């Protein structure tokens, strides 16, 4: 059976399989917008939920962000950093490595860490979403280095998953991150860092 | 290695289960794992005040998609093609394997990295590629344990759930070197040390392999987007680094719109790992970041399932494995007894529909349940598994002894006088009933106690005492 034949065959099987079946309406009675009382506490909720995943979290004012980032990197001893295009320079102190021309996978594997912004953050689930936009870089940048520091601005935080899905553009490659890489495959014990970054540090600007 | 083909020719479920329940290590591993995950899931689900509404929406979205599957598949094909991807249609396992093997050969490569995928296990892709001289490396930690141990997966979400840490350590020490970087000499059985060994073993491979094969948790017709949920980051490695990505996806994984993702991204992580969200979710549309992208749409029996009005609800399944973790039969028999990549309650209804009931094993699966209904309660897309089990039992004949027994019972129950005489006879002869029944009936008493027979039936007692007055 050639490929074109299979397409028609599958589609015609589907047609006869569902012939006569009734139409199904979709009821969306679940929560799609936050209750106003919760909206005020989103920064705190995000910080709490991200920390639940054993990520390191700081909540700071705009003016403190650069110093907090610099101190975090110093504590970590991270000197060779990748800074994606469009990242505010004060978020990556020193002389960060740029991804232009693109770094090879081996080069990315050797840096100490990466600093990025994000597209959206979800308070209820403690999730940050990167869409490869300015200050975030391509997907490999937040994958190969063992340390990822992500800066989230208050206006990027939404309450729940539906609001995040509504804000995101599906034509861009998206990476949703909830805590550092983890596995539970060995007796269901959670172990951080199998393949992705083993340490995730989040700076939330309130 | 792990895969659908290795399950062929297995005996019926009762035979497999009988062997498994004798394995106390297995029973201990399973009980510990399923009870841990059950507790976590209950907490995560309890946190959402609108779980019932989400579950209803999920069920309706899936039913709506299945009803309009033809339209949405064509839409998916258009969207992926418009985004620079290539779409292939595979009517069965053989065709899917042929398409993938040809795509890999066209790249000139002889090895591929894989993201954990039920669909590729179902079609026995690894074995098919091996015959073409292509080595497929599993990169999920549990799949790696299964592959190195020359074993079969036994759980949808945690394929190596039947192995404990010391067994995993032995597998790593003995087998890792055959597949690449050896395990460290001083490897302990600490989960952290084992995970680190896997990290080192696999990282070289991620950085050097140029073709990856994945499945997908969802694909979205409106936008042509594919979605993979994972924890470890091996998925991101495979989806991001290689130059060519081939995704083999069952046609039932479709969702109509981007918005629908808001429902399933809430239901799936909480139902499967009991987390608010899984650590990593990747989405991509067509050829992302300059990658070559191929989507293989797989039927392989799904349209047969769709044609069954009662059975088709099995196609709503999002492979969360919540039904396995609450099932008293799975907890004791383990995943291998089901003889399929789909174990547990969902496997008991999906496998005999996908494969048919010609083999002894597949015919026995609708009976691999107590019909307690815990699976239905746990299912985030509200698949009425007991209903489908009963429906499928109607299709496969009960064992001969059971049919004879039921016919005899029917004969007795049909006339009140016959029942009364039989009960009186039973009461009088009760001293002679053995603890273990002879011949084929022993299959029943081997695992159960025969209840004590009372000396007098309730009706006789009622008559004698005038309703308890005398």
């Amino acid at each position: 059976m050639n490929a074109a034949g299979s397409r028609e065959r599958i589609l015609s099987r589907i047609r006869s399989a569902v012939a006569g079946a009734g139409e199904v309406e979709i009821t969306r009675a679940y929560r799609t917008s936050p209750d106003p009382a919760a909206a005020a506490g989103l920064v705190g909720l995000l910080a709490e939920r991200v920390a639940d995943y054993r990520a390191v979290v700081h909540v700071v004012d705009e003016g403190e962000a650069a110093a907090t980032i610099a101190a975090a990197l110093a504590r970590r001893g991270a000197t060779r950093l990748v800074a994606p295009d469009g990242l505010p320079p004060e978020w990556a102190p020193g002389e960060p490595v740029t991804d232009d021309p693109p770094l090879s996978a081996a080069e990315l594997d050797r840096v100490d860490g990466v600093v990025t912004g994000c597209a959206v953050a979800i308070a209820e689930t403690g999730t940050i979403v990167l869409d490869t936009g300015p200050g975030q870089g391509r997907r490999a940048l937040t994958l190969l280095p063992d340390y990822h520091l992500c800066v989230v601005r208050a206006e990027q935080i939404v309450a729940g998953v539906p609001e995040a899905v509504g804000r995101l553009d599906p034509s861009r490659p998206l990476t949703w991150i909830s805590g550092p890489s983890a596995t539970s495959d060995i007796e269901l014990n959670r172990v951080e860092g199998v393949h992705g970054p083993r340490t995730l540090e989040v700076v939330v600007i309130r | 290695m792990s895969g659908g083909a290795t399950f062929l020719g297995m005996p019926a479920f009762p035979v497999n289960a009988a062997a498994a329940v004798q394995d106390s290590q297995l029973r201990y591993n399973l009980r510990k794992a399923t009870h841990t995950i059950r507790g976590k899931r209950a907490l995560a689900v309890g946190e959402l005040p609108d779980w019932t509404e989400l579950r209803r929406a999920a069920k309706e979205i899936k039913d709506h998609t299945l009803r309009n599957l033809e339209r949405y598949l064509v839409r998916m094909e258009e969207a992926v093609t418009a985004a620079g991807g290539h779409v292939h249609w595979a009517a069965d396992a053989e065709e899917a394997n042929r398409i993938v093997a040809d795509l890999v050969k066209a790249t000139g490569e002889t090895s591929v990295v894989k993201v954990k995928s039920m669909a590729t296990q179902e079609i026995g892709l690894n074995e098919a590629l091996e015959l073409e001289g292509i080595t497929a490396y599993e990169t999920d930690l549990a799949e790696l344990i299964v592959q190195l141990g020359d074993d079969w997966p036994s759980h949808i979400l945690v394929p190596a759930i039947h192995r404990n840490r010391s067994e995993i350590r032995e597998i790593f020490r003995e087998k890792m070197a055959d597949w690449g970087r050896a395990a460290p000499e001083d490897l302990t059985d600490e989960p952290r040390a084992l995970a680190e060994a896997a990290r080192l073993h696999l990282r070289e491979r991620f950085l050097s392999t140029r073709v990856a094969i994945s499945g997908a948790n969802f694909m979205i017709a409106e936008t042509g987007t594919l979605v993979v949920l994972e924890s470890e980051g091996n998925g991101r490695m495979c989806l991001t680094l290689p130059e060519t990505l081939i995704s083999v996806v069952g046609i039932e994984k479709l969702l109509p719109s981007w918005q629908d993702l808001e429902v399933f991204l809430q239901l799936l992580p909480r139902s499967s790992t009991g987390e608010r969200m899984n650590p990593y979710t990747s989405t991509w549309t067509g050829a992302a970041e300059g990658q070559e992208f191929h989507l293989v749409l797989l039927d392989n029996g799904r349209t047969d399932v769709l044609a069954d009005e009662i059975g088709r609800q099995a196609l709503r399944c999002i492979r969360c494995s919540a039904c396995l973790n609450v099932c008293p039969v799975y907890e004791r028999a383990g995943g291998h007894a089901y003889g399929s990549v789909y174990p547990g309650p969902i496997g008991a209804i999906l496998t005999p529909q996908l494969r048919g009931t010609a083999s002894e094993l597949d015919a026995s699966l609708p009976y691999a349940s107590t019909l307690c209904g815990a699976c239905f309660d746990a299912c985030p897309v509200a698949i009425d598994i007991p209903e489908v089990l009963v429906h499928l039992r109607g299709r496969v004949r009960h064992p001969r002894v059971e049919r004879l027994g039921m016919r005899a019972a029917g004969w007795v129950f049909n006339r009140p006088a016959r029942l009364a005489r039989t009960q009186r006879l039973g009461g009088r002869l009760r001293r002679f009933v053995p603890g273990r029944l002879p011949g084929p009936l022993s299959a029943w008493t081997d695992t159960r106690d025969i209840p004590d027979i009372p000396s007098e039936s309730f009706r006789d007692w009622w008559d004698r005492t005038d309703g308890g007055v005398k």
Side-chain angles (χ1 to χ4, degrees):
Chain A
M1 181 67 66
N2 62 45
S6 289
R7 181 182 187 277
E8 294 320 312
R9 198 162 133 214
I10 293 169
L11 292 177
S12 92
R13 277 186 198 160
I14 292 171
R15 217 170 301 139
S16 58
V18 298
E23 200 39 80
V24 183
E25 294 302 317
I26 300 166
T27 321
R28 296 185 195 269
Y30 52 86
R31 299 172 304 154
T32 48
S33 54
D35 67 85
L42 290 185
V43 167
L45 184 61
L46 176 73
E48 177 199 315
R49 296 281 155 97
V50 170
D52 257 8
Y53 286 115
R54 300 185 204 169
V56 185
V57 186
H58 312 270
V59 179
V60 298
D61 290 322
E62 174 88 55
E64 304 165 322
T68 307
I69 293 166
L73 297 173
R75 246 191 329 274
R76 170 96 192 163
T79 49
R80 256 181 75 79
L81 286 174
V82 181
D85 240 16
L87 190 83
E90 67 272 20
W91 290 359
E95 282 177 38
V97 183
T98 62
D99 191 35
D100 182 28
L103 298 160
S104 70
E107 284 169 318
L108 271 177
D109 192 32
R110 284 195 295 268
V111 298
D112 297 332
V114 61
V115 183
T116 71
C118 70
V120 175
I122 308 167
E124 223 172 62
T125 59
T127 305
I128 51 182
V129 188
L130 277 61
D131 71 355
T132 73
Q136 300 165 58
R138 58 196 170 98
R139 290 176 290 172
L141 260 52
T142 55
L143 173 62
L144 289 168
D146 200 18
Y147 173 76
H148 178 196
L149 190 152
C150 183
V151 187
V152 181
R153 294 179 182 279
E155 65 269 21
Q156 293 175 316
I157 307 173
V158 296
V161 173
E163 295 97 303
V165 168
R167 276 206 197 184
L168 291 162
D169 174 1
S171 68
R172 311 182 72 103
L174 303 178
T175 305
W176 299 48
I177 297 173
S178 307
S181 155
T183 182
S184 298
D185 281 340
I186 303 162
E187 297 183 15
L188 294 171
N189 286 290
R190 191 181 173 91
V191 179
E192 271 82 35
V194 194
H195 306 300
R198 278 180 281 201
T199 308
L200 174 70
E201 192 152 2
V202 179
V203 176
V204 185
I205 301 176
R206 64 184 151 222
Chain B
M1 292 305 114
S2 65
T6 46
F7 286 117
L8 286 179
M10 270 182 72
F13 180 83
V15 179
N16 304 329
V21 293
Q22 301 302 321
D23 183 343
S24 58
Q25 178 71 64
L26 175 74
R27 280 212 322 274
Y28 175 84
N29 294 353
L30 277 173
R31 188 185 151 77
K32 185 167 176 247
T34 56
H35 283 245
T36 307
I37 209 162
R38 247 188 245 186
K40 276 185 69 184
R41 177 183 180 275
L43 287 177
V45 168
E47 235 177 56
L48 287 188
D50 54 345
W51 186 259
T52 310
E53 289 78 15
L54 284 166
R55 190 177 186 236
R56 175 173 178 190
K59 170 183 186 283
E60 289 170 353
I61 290 167
K62 281 287 187 180
D63 282 347
H64 170 85
T65 316
L66 292 171
R67 173 67 187 82
N68 299 283
L69 194 57
E70 183 188 2
R71 175 158 64 96
Y72 287 128
L73 279 173
V74 171
R75 183 107 189 250
M76 179 75 196
E77 181 185 38
E78 286 167 5
V80 170
T81 309
H86 307 274
V87 178
H88 311 261
W89 299 71
D92 54 28
E94 195 187 341
E95 190 176 8
N97 290 334
R98 164 63 32 220
I99 291 168
V100 176
D102 287 348
L103 288 170
V104 177
K105 281 185 182 170
T107 67
E109 297 294 313
T110 53
S111 67
V112 299
V113 282
K114 282 189 70 204
V115 189
K116 175 178 175 310
S117 140
M118 306 295 297
T120 60
Q121 280 177 10
E122 173 192 319
I123 61 176
L125 178 65
N126 292 10
E127 295 79 1
L129 290 177
E130 204 177 324
L131 293 176
E132 305 272 349
I134 299 162
T135 312
Y137 293 99
E138 293 291 347
T139 63
D140 172 77
L141 178 52
E143 289 292 349
L144 176 72
I145 295 165
V146 168
Q147 186 172 50
L148 294 177
D150 202 9
D151 194 359
W152 303 336
S154 71
H155 190 279
I156 289 174
L157 182 79
V158 204
I161 199 169
H162 56 293
R163 298 288 199 179
N164 64 18
R165 59 181 76 188
S166 63
E167 292 173 303
I168 295 167
R169 173 177 177 259
E170 283 318 301
I171 291 168
F172 279 10
R173 280 165 53 101
E174 284 170 23
K175 296 289 179 56
M176 256 185 183
D178 300 345
W179 288 81
R181 183 180 174 133
E185 274 300 307
D186 54 351
L187 182 65
T188 69
D189 66 359
E190 269 301 298
R192 188 162 297 279
L194 295 168
E196 176 68 15
R199 180 185 177 99
L200 293 170
H201 177 80
L202 285 172
R203 187 152 281 225
E204 298 179 350
R205 183 147 294 130
F206 287 133
L207 296 182
S208 61
T209 308
R210 291 165 58 196
V211 181
I213 297 172
S214 84
N217 293 93
F218 306 103
M219 48 183 180
I220 295 159
E222 177 189 23
T223 58
T225 307
L226 276 88
V227 185
V228 165
L229 282 72
E230 51 138 355
S231 294
E232 295 169 12
N234 65 304
R236 292 180 65 194
M237 291 278 182
C238 295
L239 301 172
T240 308
L241 299 181
E243 291 157 24
T244 303
L245 172 62
I246 304 165
S247 300
V248 181
V249 187
I251 52 175
E252 84 287 10
K253 291 288 180 91
L254 209 57
L255 301 176
S257 72
W258 174 249
Q259 192 200 348
D260 296 324
L261 209 51
E262 71 189 19
V263 174
F264 294 93
L265 285 184
Q266 294 191 75
L267 291 173
L268 182 50
R270 290 182 198 258
S271 292
S272 58
T273 52
E275 291 170 299
R276 296 187 182 109
M277 190 65 88
N278 49 293
Y280 295 132
T281 297
S282 298
T283 79
W284 71 98
T285 302
E289 296 183 331
Q291 248 179 354
E292 166 125 353
F293 175 62
H294 296 270
L295 171 62
V296 181
L297 294 169
L298 177 71
D299 179 349
N300 201 35
R302 284 159 178 76
T303 45
D304 294 333
V305 185
L306 189 64
D308 186 316
E309 278 180 39
I310 292 172
R312 69 165 66 121
Q313 58 185 304
L315 295 179
R316 279 190 223 135
C317 177
I318 55 172
R319 317 280 190 257
C320 73
S321 73
C323 63
L324 276 63
N325 301 325
V326 297
C327 178
V329 177
Y330 175 86
E331 184 186 324
R332 287 159 182 85
H336 291 157
Y338 295 81
S340 154
V341 295
Y342 304 108
I346 186 64
I349 62 169
L350 197 53
T351 306
Q353 292 199 84
L354 285 174
R355 295 202 299 220
T357 50
S359 81
E360 202 191 350
L361 170 66
D362 293 332
S364 73
L365 288 175
Y367 294 92
S369 167
T370 62
L371 301 179
C372 77
C375 49
F376 181 24
D377 293 341
C379 179
V381 288
I383 301 170
D384 191 340
I385 294 175
E387 181 191 21
V388 183
L389 284 167
V390 171
H391 170 68
L392 293 174
R393 285 181 189 190
R395 264 203 232 156
V396 283
R397 280 165 78 80
H398 294 240
R400 194 180 142 80
V401 179
E402 205 174 313
R403 272 184 285 135
L404 287 172
M406 286 298 165
R407 204 178 301 159
W411 185 80
V412 171
F413 284 123
N414 241 339
R415 295 267 176 80
R418 266 182 215 154
L419 178 61
R421 271 202 304 278
T422 311
Q423 283 175 326
R424 272 178 222 135
L425 191 66
R428 231 170 288 149
L429 299 177
R430 66 198 182 112
R431 276 180 295 131
F432 304 105
V433 174
R436 188 168 181 276
L437 294 174
L441 296 171
S442 66
W444 181 266
T445 50
D446 279 350
T447 48
R448 296 172 186 83
D449 296 325
I450 297 184
D452 286 334
I453 300 174
S455 59
E456 186 179 31
S457 74
F458 174 76
R459 281 167 186 279
D460 285 348
W461 169 84
W462 187 269
D463 287 343
R464 179 169 60 75
T465 61
D466 203 3
V469 175
K470 284 184 200 166

